[in-house]
Amino acid sequence: MSSKPVMLPIKQGEDVSTYRYKMPAVVRLNQAAGAGIKTNVGNMAEIAHAISRTLKSLRQWFSYSLGSQVQIEQNTGHLLINGQHEVRKLQSAVYEFIDVFVLCPRCTNPETTFEKNGNQLFLHCNACGQTSPVNVQGLNVQRMATWLLTNLSYQQGGPQNVTQRTKG
């Protein structure tokens, strides 16, 4: 019999008992792998689903933000991160991703999708209707935005989450 996962608000700092949008807390498992230790994030697929983003995009974010090689374990959907990483650090990285690439800058609702216009990445909010450019402050955010622009249409679920806008 498995226990119910601990749920956290998608928007950091909200009261989990009253906030509508929730995600599972990061579950970390350490495992030895030959010459080194890997951190196994056992529920990253569920977190990706809860925030409406792909597992591949979270894998790429963890690679940039933690400075480690990250792989998706094909059989389970777990993320395998080189090195040993604390749960607090992993959860913080998830919230950093959410703050920039999920929450609407206007209403802070997580019901957003990506749009791209040329070489610029936008968040479109399905709640308030606002379309805002992604704030690309910081090297990791710039790198992630570039990766998203290059890989959006190739991700699982791709084109329905991406709108190509043209001028005129």
Side-chain angles (χ1 to χ4, degrees):
M1 180 178 211
S2 66
S3 62
K4 193 171 185 178
V6 174
M7 300 300 282
L8 298 174
I10 288 176
K11 181 180 174 192
Q12 189 173 17
E14 292 292 326
D15 181 356
V16 73
S17 65
T18 59
Y19 190 65
R20 173 179 170 187
Y21 304 100
K22 297 177 176 77
M23 66 179 175
V26 170
V27 173
R28 182 196 73 163
L29 310 165
N30 282 334
Q31 65 183 48
I37 291 178
K38 293 190 183 229
T39 299
N40 181 337
V41 182
N43 64 337
M44 195 52 68
E46 291 85 358
I47 292 171
H49 179 74
I51 64 173
S52 298
R53 296 300 185 259
T54 65
L55 185 56
K56 287 181 181 180
S57 63
L58 283 173
R59 177 206 61 205
Q60 196 65 31
W61 174 252
F62 272 79
S63 176
Y64 292 144
S65 66
L66 300 175
S68 295
Q69 183 179 5
V70 182
Q71 300 170 345
I72 299 172
E73 193 173 74
Q74 295 303 319
N75 298 340
T76 62
H78 295 184
L79 282 189
L80 299 176
I81 306 167
N82 282 1
Q84 186 170 351
H85 301 276
E86 297 297 320
V87 171
R88 180 179 38 80
K89 186 175 182 181
L90 299 171
Q91 192 66 60
S92 178
V94 170
Y95 275 125
E96 288 173 18
F97 179 84
I98 290 169
D99 287 344
V100 177
F101 296 105
V102 177
L103 296 177
C104 172
R106 181 183 195 189
C107 71
T108 68
N109 191 301
E111 293 182 28
T112 60
T113 55
F114 290 122
E115 293 184 0
K116 57 184 183 178
N117 184 352
N119 62 353
Q120 194 168 12
L121 184 64
F122 293 85
L123 281 178
H124 175 74
C125 182
N126 297 317
C128 74
Q130 178 78 18
T131 299
S132 306
V134 171
N135 182 357
V136 291
Q137 298 287 326
L139 179 61
N140 291 335
V141 174
Q142 289 173 1
R143 292 168 68 194
M144 187 65 198
T146 300
W147 185 89
L148 286 166
L149 284 167
T150 304
N151 293 282
L152 271 175
S153 61
Y154 301 102
Q155 293 185 41
Q156 178 184 13
Q160 65 267 26
N161 292 334
V162 180
T163 303
Q164 300 265 356
R165 288 194 172 181
T166 56
K167 293 183 178 180

